[in-house]
Amino acid sequence: MKYPQVTTLLSVLAVVFLHGAHGWDAPPFCHSYDCPEFTVVNKYEDFEERAYQVSRWITVDGLGVSDHDVKAGFTKLWDYTQWDNQAGEHVNTHTWPALISTTEVEDGGEKHASFSFYVAPEDTVLPTPNDASIRNETMPACTIYVRTFSGFPSEYNFQENLKKLRDALTQAGRAFDSHRYIAAGYEGPWTLIGRHNEIWVHAA
């Protein structure tokens, strides 16, 4: 089974940088940027249970999860934020995380991927994209199981940590969405130490 290259995500995110979070006490790994608000419900040895509030994202679907697809998806979003929209306006990109969401087809066939930037709460009205494939979507309040890992992300350690998270949830008797998973990135590639990477799995 092939997984998305998280390193590609981090390379594209080199252009997404700087700003303070508003309205809540964001954790240190948000680096004082705007992040979606959540409450830690429980902490376990191998994962954390978070209750996320409603959040908004700009999202584009991809043809797959190859390096090329990931780069193409995030490039579309970046171009949209840099005046490539019908209003010719700049959209705030000073947010974390950026997400690669992957859904597996039940029969073991191809995967469907989407790529997202978090929208800061103060950005109540976004300009209409020139690219019709970009959409403004809302993630409802939900419970997400999260595993964190350090180091520079790679295909290997993403796969390894996703498996560890799923195994830990199964062992703990937690019901979860076994066909969808999300890679969340909080740093650009220039950060060599103290990195914070996350794997998200939605509670069922």
Side-chain angles (χ1 to χ4, degrees):
M1 180 183 298
K2 186 175 181 180
Y3 292 81
Q5 288 276 11
V6 181
T7 49
T8 301
L9 161 64
L10 293 172
S11 295
V12 175
L13 290 180
V15 293
V16 185
F17 195 58
L18 288 177
H19 195 42
H22 302 287
W24 73 296
D25 188 13
F29 58 76
C30 288
H31 308 294
S32 298
Y33 307 162
D34 286 301
C35 284
E37 186 170 351
F38 66 87
T39 301
V40 176
V41 179
N42 286 299
K43 285 189 176 182
Y44 302 88
E45 182 178 357
D46 296 313
F47 66 93
E48 185 172 88
E49 179 180 350
R50 298 178 185 170
Y52 274 87
Q53 295 191 10
V54 175
S55 56
R56 292 175 58 221
W57 305 78
I58 50 173
T59 297
V60 64
D61 291 324
L63 297 176
V65 293
S66 68
D67 278 353
H68 173 78
D69 295 327
V70 172
K71 183 176 181 180
F74 280 115
T75 297
K76 282 186 177 183
L77 294 178
W78 174 250
D79 289 345
Y80 162 73
T81 67
Q82 302 302 301
W83 300 282
D84 186 10
N85 53 69
Q86 293 188 16
E89 295 177 352
H90 180 268
V91 177
N92 177 19
T93 56
H94 304 152
T95 64
W96 293 119
L99 307 179
I100 301 174
S101 303
T102 305
T103 302
E104 299 170 323
V105 178
E106 291 193 19
D107 62 6
E110 66 181 72
K111 298 178 179 68
H112 301 294
S114 63
F115 313 98
S116 302
F117 285 164
Y118 174 61
V119 176
E122 64 267 25
D123 292 332
T124 56
V125 178
L126 293 176
T128 301
N130 291 326
D131 187 333
S133 67
I134 297 172
R135 64 183 181 275
N136 179 13
E137 65 178 9
T138 299
M139 184 175 78
C142 59
T143 297
I144 296 178
Y145 299 118
V146 180
R147 178 178 174 84
T148 65
F149 63 98
S150 60
F152 207 94
S154 66
E155 182 176 7
Y156 173 79
N157 58 30
F158 172 66
Q159 177 179 357
E160 179 182 48
N161 282 277
L162 176 62
K163 183 180 185 303
K164 287 180 178 179
L165 175 57
R166 286 173 164 172
D167 288 347
L169 292 172
T170 299
Q171 185 174 5
R174 298 284 178 161
F176 61 93
D177 186 341
S178 61
H179 299 291
R180 183 186 180 199
Y181 48 90
I182 298 172
Y186 291 85
E187 289 97 8
W190 58 84
T191 302
L192 301 180
I193 60 174
R195 301 186 66 88
H196 181 94
N197 316 296
E198 296 181 345
I199 307 299
W200 294 4
V201 171
H202 280 76

